[in-house]
């Protein structure tokens, strides 16, 4: 290696990649006339008996004896059948010839050529190939005949070698190589007539390929037309669903399709015309050659050859279609429609006159409990302000004139949350400002009072009820879900009537939406219902195995899910709940799991085991409710208990409370569950015909109402919460019977009032609305 790297005499060759290509495929056939001028200086030796001109093979037993030119050493004799290397002599056979150095080289010297910078670009030709007259020097070509056999195939193209480029070190060329050497000195290789015949043969092959490409172009035109028609039809079909909001977009898409068609057609037509012109030139070449078949004048033949070279030197037409039929309409995301209704807009900053506090709950607060007020920022056009930093201020003044600490935090969709902690009873003054100006309705008086006394509710019974069995407006048939929206309306899933009904806080019918069916906006026994921070209505369309989302007026927005076991699919979804991120939790009842989705229906996570072997971990979950700390509370229907799922995705364990029974703190088929503004948890203990109330801090049962009491005072307060017991990987707490007072029950007027309560909600005014499933009515406490 050191010896090779020290060469400075200018000997080099092509790159190793080019060398390997030459070794695998010969550029020329072996010449029968590559003999030295005399016996002493023959390259191949005198014996030509081994040459078979028909096969292009050569064998020799003679060697080089001397080299008067200095290329070969006279003292080096070669006894092998191949010539010797100019540098290595008899020790190595020559396998290549360097047309720049005029040397015969062995494999080792070829590698040396590759390594030396000065010679690495030299032209090296393998001697196993035909070496034309124009390549080798005259002193190596003694006795070579004027006629050189037409060469073999071009190593770069499929055509035969027909010419040499003298400007490129006599590089052999096929007709396809001509454009790469346009303007160079190109000479025919061998007999001119034979070369012309070879070029014409190539042109006829080219003509056939042109016919094939023309056929492909014609077929592509038909496919483009077909694709355009199909896509245009699809566009019209899809746009029909978006005609109100997307009429202009439909026209734009159709125009784009037409532009695409015109562009593709023009490209294909241009290619077809170019192909026809190219084919015409090829035909002219054939005519020209046919006219000189009998011509012996070399000047005429050379002129014809030059014309053919010039014609072949013109840029070639692509041999395949330059266009495709790839025209596809991208169907819009199903979630796009609600976004398109609010597409674009004007951002002009919050306007104090149009900005307002959401809901009515801010008018009442609980002493020594954090209170939050949600403010919707709107601009001068009464549009929601999407951007933040709206210069919002707020203050709360106590009954004694003392200001309270106030915290403001901005959320998405133009929402601002104000929070404070009242510490005294009485009327407080709440003021919210935008750039120093009070917003609509401010200042406002807030009543702060002590917490709710559920013992009094249990003792006094219901305030009133509404509904009654039937199909008319305001009547119900086997209702299940209930919720209170941000405007104070009471929304009821009227299950067997396949609709949602809306009532005011006093139970007066307002409106309804939905009919029986499977189309968007229709229902098949709807069950759970809730609202999110945008006051959108989310409904568990139970027997259609899907979730549907509506705006606050009942206009359909989106749906997701269908029947199945994989994530994102449902098997009788029953309950729904949302958090402050508008995530949607769904109790996938007969898959024995709870799934959680984004507000647009994209799957986030699941809990519970939905296989046959582990389904007892959650057995037909029903009611759902998010707790203030983000945990999800689940009523485990057939396991007669409550399950609390951590808000962390990395924590798979669930804490479970309760077991089957009719004592306070135990359950029989629990269903709907809600949390009130004070943090109490209300659970519909359906088969015990009652609603139980638990302390949100330690899950102690503090009261119950609606059913027959087992105690003298309506409920018994456990001395402490039982320590949760581990059952497998799940916690469960079973209140021991000794914690409850087993005195003789005191019968009150509201005994056995409820018949299988299924769901419950708490209004901003503190009223409790309970779905009395068995009596087809809503009871208010």
């Amino acid at each position: 290696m050191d010896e090779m790297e020290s060469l400075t005499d200018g000997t080099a060759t092509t790159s190793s990649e080019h060398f390997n290509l030459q070794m695998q495929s010969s550029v020329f056939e072996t010449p029968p006339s590559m003999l030295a001028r005399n016996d002493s200086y023959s390259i191949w030796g005198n014996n030509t008996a081994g040459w078979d001109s028909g096969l292009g093979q050569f064998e020799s037993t003679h060697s080089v004896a001397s080299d008067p030119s200095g290329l070969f050493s006279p003292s080096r004799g070669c006894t092998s059948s191949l010539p010797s290397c100019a540098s290595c002599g008899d020790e190595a056979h020559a396998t290549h010839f360097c047309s720049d150095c005029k040397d015969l080289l062995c494999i080792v010297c070829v590698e040396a050529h590759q390594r030396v910078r000065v010679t690495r670009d030299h032209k090296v030709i393998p001697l196993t190939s035909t070496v034309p007259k124009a390549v080798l020097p005259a002193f190596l070509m003694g006795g070579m005949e004027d006629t050189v056999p037409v060469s073999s195939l071009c190593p770069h193209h499929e055509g035969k070698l027909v010419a040499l480029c003298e400007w490129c070190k006599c590089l052999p060329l096929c007709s396809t190589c001509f454009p790469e050497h346009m303007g160079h000195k190109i000479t025919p290789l061998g007999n001119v007539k034979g070369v012309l015949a070879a070029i014409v043969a190539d042109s006829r092959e080219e003509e056939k390929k042109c016919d094939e490409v023309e056929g492909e172009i014609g077929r592509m035109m038909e496919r483009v037309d077909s694709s355009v028609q199909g896509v245009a039809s699809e566009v019209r079909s899809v746009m029909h669903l978006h005609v109100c909001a997307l009429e202009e977009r439909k026209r734009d898409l159709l125009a784009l399709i037409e532009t695409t068609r015109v562009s593709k057609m023009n490209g294909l037509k241009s290619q077809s015309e170019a192909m026809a012109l190219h084919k015409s030139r090829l035909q002219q070449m054939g005519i020209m050659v046919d006219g000189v078949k009998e011509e012996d004048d070399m000047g005429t033949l050379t002129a014809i050859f030059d014309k053919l070279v010039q014609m072949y030197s013109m840029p070639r037409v692509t041999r395949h279609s330059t266009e495709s039929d790839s025209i596809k309409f991208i169907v819009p995301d199903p979630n796009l429609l609600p976004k398109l209704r609010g597409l674009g807009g004007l951002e002009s900053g919050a306007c104090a006159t149009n900005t307002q506090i959401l809901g009515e709950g801010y008018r009442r607060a609980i002493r020594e409990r954090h209170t939050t007020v949600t403010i919707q920022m709107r601009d001068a056009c009464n549009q929601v302000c999407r951007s933040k930093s709206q210069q919002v201020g707020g203050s709360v003044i106590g009954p004694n004139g003392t200001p309270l600490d106030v915290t403001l935090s901005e959320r998405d969709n133009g929402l601002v949350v104000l929070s404070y902690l009242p510490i005294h009873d009485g009327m407080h003054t709440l003021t919210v400002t935008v750039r120093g100006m009070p917003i609509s309705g401010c200042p406002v008086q807030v009543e702060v009072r002590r917490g709710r006394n559920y013992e009094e509710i249990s003792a006094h019974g219901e305030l009133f009820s509404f509904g009654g069995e039937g199909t008319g407006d305001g009547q119900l048939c086997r209702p299940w879900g209930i919720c209170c929206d941000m405007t104070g309306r009471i929304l009821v899933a009227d299950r067997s009537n396949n609709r949602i009904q809306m009532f005011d806080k006093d139970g007066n019918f307002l409106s309804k939406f939905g009919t029986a069916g499977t189309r968007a906006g229709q229902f098949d026994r709807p069950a759970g219902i809730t609202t999110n921070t945008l006051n959108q209505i989310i409904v568990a369309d139970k027997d259609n195995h899907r979730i549907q989302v509506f705006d606050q007026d009942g206009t359909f927005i989106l749906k997701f899910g269908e029947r199945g076991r994989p994530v994102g699919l449902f098997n009788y979804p029953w309950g729904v709940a949302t958090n402050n991120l508008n995530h949607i939790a769904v109790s996938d009842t007969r898959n024995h799991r709870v799934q959680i989705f984004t507000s647009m229906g994209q799957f986030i996570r699941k809990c519970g085991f939905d296989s046959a072997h582990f389904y007892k971990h959650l057995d037909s979950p029903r009611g759902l409710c998010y707790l203030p700390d983000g945990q999800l509370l689940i009523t485990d229907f057939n396991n007669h208990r409550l399950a609390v799922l951590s808000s962390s995705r990395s924590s798979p364990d669930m804490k479970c409370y309760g077991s089957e029974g009719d004592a306070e703190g135990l359950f029989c088929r629990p269903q709907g569950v809600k949390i009130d503004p004070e943090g109490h948890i209300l659970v519909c203990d359906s088969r015990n015909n009652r609603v139980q109330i638990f302390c949100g801090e330690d899950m102690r049962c503090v009261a119950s109402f609606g059913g027959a009491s087992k105690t003298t005072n309506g409920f018994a307060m456990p001395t402490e919460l039982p320590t949760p017991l581990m059952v497998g990987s799940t916690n469960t707490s079973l209140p021991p019977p000794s914690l409850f007072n087993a005195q003789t029950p005191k019968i009150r007027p509201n005994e056995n009032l409820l018949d299988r309560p299924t769901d419950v909600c708490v209004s901003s005014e503190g009223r409790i609305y309970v779905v009395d499933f068995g009596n087809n009515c809503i009871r208010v406490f």
Side-chain angles (χ1 to χ4, degrees), residues 564-577:
R565 182 176 293 275
V567 294
L569 305 184
F570 305 108
N571 191 5
Y572 293 99
W574 214 289
V576 288

Side-chain angles (χ1 to χ4, degrees), residues 246-259:
L246 296 174
E247 185 64 34
E248 184 176 356
R249 179 59 176 166
K250 180 182 73 172
R251 292 194 299 268
D252 292 343
L253 281 175
L254 291 174
L256 184 60
I257 290 173
E258 179 61 20
T259 301

Side-chain angles (χ1 to χ4, degrees), residues 133 230 232 361 479 562 578 732:
K133 176 180 179 180
E562 59 184 43
T578 60
T732 182

Side-chain angles (χ1 to χ4, degrees), residues 107-212:
I107 292 295
V108 176
C109 293
V110 169
E111 293 178 353
H113 262 51
Q114 294 175 359
R115 293 188 178 92
V116 178
R117 180 177 59 82
V118 180
T119 59
R120 66 179 53 165
D121 294 328
H122 285 194
K123 179 64 179 178
V124 177
I125 302 172
L127 294 182
T128 55
S129 307
T130 297
V131 183
K133 176 180 179 180
V135 177
L136 293 180
F139 68 84
L140 293 178
M141 295 296 293
M144 189 174 223
E145 300 176 357
D146 293 336
T147 301
V148 179
V150 177
S151 57
S152 61
L153 294 178
C154 174
H156 305 294
H157 307 99
E158 296 179 358
K160 283 183 174 283
L161 296 170
V162 295
L164 296 173
C165 180
E166 296 184 3
W167 290 13
C168 298
K169 303 174 184 178
C170 296
L171 182 68
L173 308 174
C174 69
S175 59
T176 309
C177 297
F178 290 165
E180 301 172 7
H181 299 266
M182 186 175 181
H184 293 192
K185 177 60 176 177
I186 299 176
T187 58
L189 179 59
N191 183 274
V192 178
K193 287 187 177 181
V195 170
L196 295 176
I199 294 177
V200 170
D202 287 345
S203 69
R204 288 171 179 167
E205 290 296 325
E206 184 78 10
E207 185 179 352
K208 292 180 181 178
K209 293 179 180 178
C210 290
D211 291 335
E212 294 177 359

Side-chain angles (χ1 to χ4, degrees), residues 312-369:
Y312 258 88
S313 298
M314 298 179 67
R316 294 295 179 90
V317 179
T318 305
R319 295 183 179 179
H320 58 81
S321 174
T322 57
E323 294 289 350
S324 71
D325 62 339
S326 178
I327 306 175
K328 183 183 295 184
F329 176 64
I330 302 174
V331 179
D333 190 305
N335 301 325
L336 182 61
L337 187 57
K339 294 181 180 179
L340 290 176
R341 289 195 175 96
L343 188 64
L346 177 67
E347 180 59 58
S348 59
C351 173
T353 304
N354 292 331
T355 298
Q356 58 186 353
I357 300 175
L358 296 179
E360 296 292 329
Y362 67 91
R363 297 182 181 275
R364 295 175 178 80
I366 305 300
R367 186 183 66 190
E368 297 178 349
R369 289 185 182 272

